[in-house]
Amino acid sequence: MRVTRSGDYAVRCLLYLALNAGRGVVGRKEIAQAMDIPAQFLGKVAQILAKAGLITIRQGSRGGYELTGDPREISLLRVVEAVDGVIFLNDCLLRPDFCDRRPICPVHRVWGRACGQLRGLLDGISLAELVEEESRAVEALSGTLPAGRGQTLEGKGE
């Protein structure tokens, strides 16, 4: 199982929109530049995300993309599967006729459990959680602790 480039760009796009939630429509060029996504590729990915109901596309000079839902309600699994399709580890998990050994195969059950755990993990991570994590990482890189602590990472007061 591998997330495609399209899947990765979809996650980046929605993460940026979640970071800017409440701002309204965000321009395609801004997203592409901020998240290092080729603008034309972003347009194609956005069409898929819009069909999946994750974003709204606005045309025109003030056009761009807008998240359609609450970032707390949009899981990483939903984003990835909107673009890449259902996550599976082996064809036997999606196509019962793929392998005659399926009824007795111990590996089939392992693939099923592993796939279930991966899907569960991704389903349990929301865009809002990713926004929080990115904010903490940015704060750490800027050398400050979260607001209210009054200290830098070196432990010195401000």
Side-chain angles (χ1 to χ4, degrees), residues 61-101:
S61 61
R62 295 182 186 214
Y65 311 138
E66 186 173 15
L67 204 57
T68 59
D70 184 333
R72 294 174 295 194
E73 302 297 321
I74 301 172
S75 73
L76 191 53
L77 178 68
R78 184 172 170 206
V79 177
V80 171
E81 289 192 341
V83 176
D84 289 340
V86 175
I87 293 175
F88 64 98
L89 299 178
N90 194 320
D91 285 329
C92 67
L93 295 175
L94 283 183
R95 297 185 7 228
D97 61 335
F98 180 76
C99 178
D100 292 336
R101 290 187 38 79

Side-chain angles (χ1 to χ4, degrees), residues 20-32:
N20 290 280
R23 189 176 132 198
V25 176
V26 180
R28 181 174 80 173
K29 288 181 183 178
E30 177 185 336
I31 296 167

